[in-house]
Amino acid sequence: MDIAEVAQRSGVPASTLRFYEEKGLIASTGRRGLRRVFDAGVLERLALIALGRSAGFSLDEIGRMFSPGKGVRIDRRLLAAKAEELDGTIRKLSAMREGLLHAAACPAPSHMECPTFRRLLGLAGAGGLGGRDKKKPSSKGRS
Amino acid sequence: MDIAEVAQRSGVPASTLRFYEEKGLIASTGRRGLRRVFDAGVLERLALIALGRSAGFSLDEIGRMFSPGKGVRIDRRLLAAKAEELDGTIRKLSAMREGLLHAAACPAPSHMECPTFRRLLGLAGAGGLGGRDKKKPSSKGRS
DNA sequence: GTGCCACTTCAAGTCAAGTTGAAGTCAAGG
DNA sequence: CCTTGACTTCAACTTGACTTGAAGTGGCAC
């Protein structure tokens, strides 16, 4: 498979594939001339990377996970830790969602007069939850 | 209040306050010499900003929310939409957490041989969930 | 054999949300 | 009056994950 096929099959842009290779996240099995040749395993690897990213791992973390050998070799404690972290995030997000929903339905003329909303303010200050960014739509390139 | 006091009372660094003012998210009521003077309302505003950020709004979105007037004037549909978005995120995060937990405890020698883990892979590909970044600890400056 | 165009490389740009540094200002205390 | 140092401005840097552009190469269809 050349890079275009991997891109097309995985939905990951070629530029990203090169970037990932540069970062050591994926590897091409060789070259045909200048062009990278990938084997099918790279698709699994890419799925794994997507999974990791979804779970909140950085590319570096993901890289560390399978840089050792060919196997996936993910440290289970790392997974458990990440799961716990996720759990905290979920809790905060849930509280926020509740508050948002209430605020949306709140009868008070101004949100500032709503006790629930005001409670939410404190929550925001307290919570460690950071800014989230949406994933890019990435809806291009797929036929 | 000068910037230092606002910083101290809100926990938001002065550099960030200047940045926020530049972005139109907060306003100083005047100057004493060169120095900004803020009134107490800015603290509420900052709480609101923190809330918005926690809920996943970008600074621009937050700015749009209260740029109109002095009042908070948050569009309730926007809140509801954000809550729904949050809900989706929570769902994905939860699934991810389940999978992570399973993977951490999974008896299969390689994660690739574990059906649950493989199911997770599909999930990651499907989910729209993007990369998350942790909030910085920000444990400086607070006494 | 030759031309095209998908591939290659490498550097630089983007975005968000700030942070950091240098150089300058000025209110207040001694 | 003079020093101090907290404030000011402005620009450049940071991080993470890529994308984009320019310039070059070469595999493959014809």
Side-chain angles (χ1 to χ4, degrees):
Chain A
M1 302 203 311
D2 72 350
I3 202 170
E5 190 175 354
V6 177
Q8 183 250 303
R9 301 238 291 222
S10 67
V12 177
S15 64
T16 304
L17 293 174
R18 285 187 209 104
F19 175 69
Y20 280 180
E21 191 187 29
E22 195 178 348
K23 280 219 132 197
L25 291 172
I26 58 175
S28 46
T29 49
R31 295 285 181 126
R32 181 155 40 194
L34 268 188
R35 306 177 181 197
R36 289 160 182 81
V37 177
F38 294 95
D39 72 6
V42 78
L43 294 174
E44 184 179 75
R45 195 86 154 192
L46 286 169
L48 236 20
I49 293 171
L51 172 63
R53 297 226 355 86
S54 292
F57 293 96
S58 70
L59 292 186
D60 279 2
E61 282 176 309
I62 294 169
R64 250 170 274 134
M65 276 182 191
F66 41 51
S67 56
K70 305 210 60 166
V72 177
R73 281 217 151 298
I74 302 173
D75 180 346
R76 288 172 158 87
R77 274 166 316 170
L78 193 53
L79 291 184
K82 213 65 180 181
E84 203 169 330
E85 191 184 315
L86 236 43
D87 198 47
T89 302
I90 289 167
R91 259 189 248 292
K92 266 163 218 152
L93 248 31
S94 297
M96 207 51 74
R97 177 176 161 280
E98 291 300 295
L100 245 34
L101 243 27
H102 174 91
C106 178
S110 155
H111 292 299
M112 280 337 272
E113 291 163 41
C114 164
T116 300
F117 193 80
R118 299 194 67 90
R119 195 158 47 70
L120 205 51
L121 284 186
L123 207 143
L129 177 47
R132 291 203 20 66
D133 55 341
K134 287 180 233 314
K135 181 174 192 172
K136 62 177 172 81
S138 150
S139 40
K140 73 159 181 220
R142 324 244 2 209
S143 62
Chain B
M1 303 206 306
D2 72 349
I3 203 170
E5 189 175 354
V6 177
Q8 183 250 301
R9 302 239 290 224
S10 66
V12 177
S15 64
T16 303
L17 293 174
R18 286 188 208 103
F19 175 68
Y20 280 0
E21 191 187 30
E22 194 177 349
K23 279 220 132 195
L25 291 172
I26 58 175
S28 46
T29 48
R31 293 284 179 128
R32 178 155 42 194
L34 270 187
R35 305 177 181 199
R36 288 160 183 81
V37 177
F38 294 97
D39 72 4
V42 78
L43 294 174
E44 185 179 73
R45 196 84 154 191
L46 285 169
L48 236 21
I49 293 171
L51 172 63
R53 295 220 4 81
S54 291
F57 292 95
S58 71
L59 292 186
D60 279 2
E61 281 175 310
I62 294 169
R64 250 170 274 134
M65 276 181 191
F66 40 51
S67 53
K70 306 210 62 165
V72 176
R73 283 218 150 296
I74 302 174
D75 181 347
R76 287 171 159 88
R77 273 166 317 170
L78 194 52
L79 291 184
K82 214 63 178 184
E84 202 169 331
E85 193 183 314
L86 235 43
D87 198 49
T89 303
I90 289 167
R91 258 190 249 291
K92 266 163 218 151
L93 248 30
S94 298
M96 208 51 74
R97 177 175 161 279
E98 291 299 295
L100 244 34
L101 242 27
H102 175 93
C106 179
S110 156
H111 292 297
M112 280 336 272
E113 291 164 42
C114 164
T116 300
F117 194 81
R118 299 194 67 90
R119 196 159 44 70
L120 205 50
L121 284 185
L123 206 143
L129 176 47
R132 288 202 22 65
D133 54 342
K134 285 178 236 314
K135 181 174 193 172
K136 63 174 173 62
S138 148
S139 39
K140 71 159 180 223
R142 321 254 351 220
S143 61

